[in-house]
Amino acid sequence: MEPQPTARLTSHPVSTKRDIPVAAPDLTGNEERYVVEAVRSTWVSSTGAFLDRFEDEFAEMCGARRALGVCNGTVALHLALLALDVRRGDEVLVPSLTYIATANAVRYVGAEPVFVDVDPSTWCIDPARLEDSITPRTRGIIPVHLYGHPADMDAVNHIAAVHGLWVLEDAAEAHLARYKGRPVGSLARLATFSFYGNKIITSGEGGAVLVSDPQLELRLRTLRGQGVDPTRRYFFPVTGHNFRMTNVAAALLCAQLERRDEILRRRHEIFELYREALADIPGIGFQPVASWAEPAPWLFCITVNPEGFGLTRNELMGVLGSRGIDTRPFFIPLHALPPFREGSRQRGEMLPVTDRLGQIGLNLPTFPALTEDDVHRIASEIRQACGVGPRAASAQ
Ligand SMILES: Cc1ncc(COP(=O)(O)O)c(C=O)c1O
């Protein structure tokens, strides 16, 4: 029997206005053309002109010697940790306020993520809290450039140097962000990126590892490609993985990189529109920006302080959802999640800034096709939710 058509399930009343997703890729340049070109060339696996071009251009953009394309940002982290020879019993310092992939990758190599609180002035790993967490087992630090804002890399690198640790930047969310004028991706021994569909530059799924040390690059290449000896076909001196990116994904990325300035400009405009439209709402706060930071405009972040706003973050999400506006709560702190909470409890970790942000942080829709009217509609729904009337009326 044919399956019966079912009504579309919606979690909110049907609205006459268009629904607004939280993110959407902008593929309006040469993306389609280059994908077709890759297909017609028959170079659809992990060799091809688009791959070479992407790796060269991305490395140059990030100020690193080499970029290695991989299948996604999680794999990029996993590969970096393998290349750094992280093993069972090792500890790696990571923020708890991040996407789970940062800590999962540490577990993939048998090591343990140790959680460090974030700095209230950057929302990234707090350099002042690192030393308390260093033990004889600590091997390295993974600062995450959270929600596009760079971590304080000089401070992190200094502590790492004092204690003989490596540093790996997780720049998944911070394409083209700058720290003291330098691009993220070249501020540590290794850096990783994600090109998932909600990222500033995307190939749907995709990732990269950035490296400048030639020895480390060789290890990364070998481990990315099944462990093969580059000079001897079918000879595998080590156990590697197939973590390679396809030429088709790289074709998308080449088209995206051509339009990076345009994509960034539009996202910056959206950030400005949000800041202006939400500026005077009691209880709504913005992501801080350090004096030395030029953050990447990834997802616009607000904090919802229930005392000032009158509703909790989750209540506001519910209201916006019922009006067809999709949002995301901040990441649930990793130390509170089942795979990590027991270890964190045993280590007695206290992460008050992370806990608070995890409760009050919210990402609003941010993508190039979001219109000025959309931003005003979102802002007006937020105003109405807390009982502040429309902007024009309150200004009169
Ligand atoms: C901070 C961070 N690290 C790593 C990743 C993992 O990237 P991917 O989803 O491409 O595997 C993400 C996710 O998107 C992320 O936000």
Side-chain angles (χ1 to χ4, degrees):
M1 201 174 87
E2 282 292 299
Q4 295 301 302
T6 50
R8 186 170 161 249
L9 291 175
T10 50
S11 56
H12 51 78
V14 175
S15 156
T16 50
K17 293 175 181 159
R18 83 176 172 98
D19 284 0
I20 304 179
V22 78
D26 174 350
L27 306 171
T28 53
N30 281 324
E31 284 80 0
E32 187 177 339
R33 208 184 110 207
Y34 288 176
V35 167
V36 170
E37 230 176 88
V39 170
R40 289 194 179 148
S41 75
T42 74
W43 291 94
V44 292
S45 293
S46 47
T47 317
F50 285 116
L51 253 174
D52 294 342
R53 178 175 150 191
F54 161 69
E55 290 187 338
D56 288 348
E57 286 184 9
F58 196 63
E60 196 188 333
M61 257 172 57
C62 297
R65 205 175 56 79
R66 292 301 307 156
L68 275 76
V70 293
C71 355
N72 57 58
T74 309
V75 152
L77 285 161
H78 187 178
L79 179 62
L81 293 169
L82 288 167
L84 290 163
D85 203 21
V86 184
R87 294 156 181 236
R88 185 163 301 285
D90 292 346
E91 290 176 354
V92 177
L93 307 188
V94 299
S96 172
L97 191 64
T98 178
Y99 185 57
I100 195 162
T102 317
N104 275 350
V106 174
R107 281 272 174 88
Y108 298 158
V109 295
E112 191 58 17
V114 170
F115 298 110
V116 177
D117 207 359
V118 292
D119 179 339
S121 67
T122 63
W123 296 355
C124 298
I125 203 161
D126 188 345
R129 301 289 307 276
L130 284 170
E131 280 186 318
D132 291 348
S133 304
I134 294 174
T135 75
R137 294 174 163 219
T138 311
R139 296 286 170 266
I141 308 170
I142 310 182
V144 177
H145 304 312
L146 191 78
Y147 299 126
H149 191 293
D152 187 354
M153 291 303 295
D154 283 351
V156 172
N157 282 329
H158 172 72
I159 291 161
V162 168
H163 294 272
L165 310 175
W166 48 255
V167 178
L168 159 59
E169 293 174 74
D170 183 345
E173 305 172 357
H175 306 176
L176 300 157
R178 295 178 92 82
Y179 172 76
K180 299 186 180 172
R182 288 175 285 150
V184 303
S186 56
L187 306 171
R189 191 109 203 272
L190 289 173
T192 59
F193 286 82
S194 160
F195 304 115
Y196 182 66
N198 65 5
K199 298 301 187 295
I200 295 175
I201 300 292
T202 182
S203 49
E205 294 281 1
V209 184
L210 281 282
V211 61
S212 290
D213 171 348
Q215 290 298 320
L216 208 46
E217 180 196 340
L218 184 62
R219 254 182 89 68
L220 288 162
R221 277 190 193 288
T222 306
L223 291 164
R224 177 181 68 168
Q226 301 283 25
V228 74
D229 181 337
T231 61
R232 217 168 139 195
R233 194 172 283 272
Y234 297 127
F235 183 71
F236 300 91
V238 292
T239 306
H241 297 259
N242 177 356
F243 282 166
R244 298 179 298 248
M245 172 181 272
T246 67
N247 195 44
V248 181
L252 280 169
L253 289 169
C254 287
Q256 291 267 285
L257 292 187
E258 285 174 353
R259 292 173 49 247
R260 60 184 182 268
D261 291 342
E262 183 189 328
I263 291 171
L264 277 184
R265 196 176 320 114
R266 181 62 198 143
R267 296 181 84 104
H268 277 301
E269 280 165 11
I270 291 165
F271 267 49
E272 264 323 296
L273 288 169
Y274 269 131
R275 279 195 206 101
E276 209 265 322
L278 301 172
D280 59 347
I281 304 180
I284 297 294
F286 296 143
Q287 184 177 22
V289 178
S291 60
W292 38 256
E294 290 168 63
W298 185 43
L299 290 179
F300 192 81
C301 302
I302 58 171
T303 54
V304 184
N305 183 342
E307 285 82 55
F309 187 71
L311 296 181
T312 63
R313 184 271 315 272
N314 289 354
E315 285 166 342
L316 175 60
M317 281 182 71
V319 171
L320 294 175
S322 74
R323 309 284 195 274
I325 298 165
D326 198 13
T327 56
R328 290 285 178 279
F330 273 18
F331 299 123
I332 298 175
L334 303 186
H335 71 276
L337 293 176
F340 303 113
R341 67 182 167 216
E342 186 50 29
S344 175
R345 197 190 59 75
Q346 282 176 10
R347 289 188 297 272
E349 288 167 357
M350 303 291 287
L351 307 152
V353 184
T354 298
D355 286 331
R356 176 80 180 144
L357 286 169
Q359 278 167 9
I360 65 171
L362 184 66
N363 294 125
L364 298 180
T366 316
F367 51 93
L370 193 75
T371 65
E372 188 167 346
D373 282 353
D374 289 335
V375 173
H376 287 143
R377 182 179 141 206
I378 294 163
S380 129
E381 295 291 1
I382 295 175
R383 279 172 190 286
Q384 282 175 39
C386 80
V388 180
R391 191 106 199 243
S394 61
Q396 279 161 11

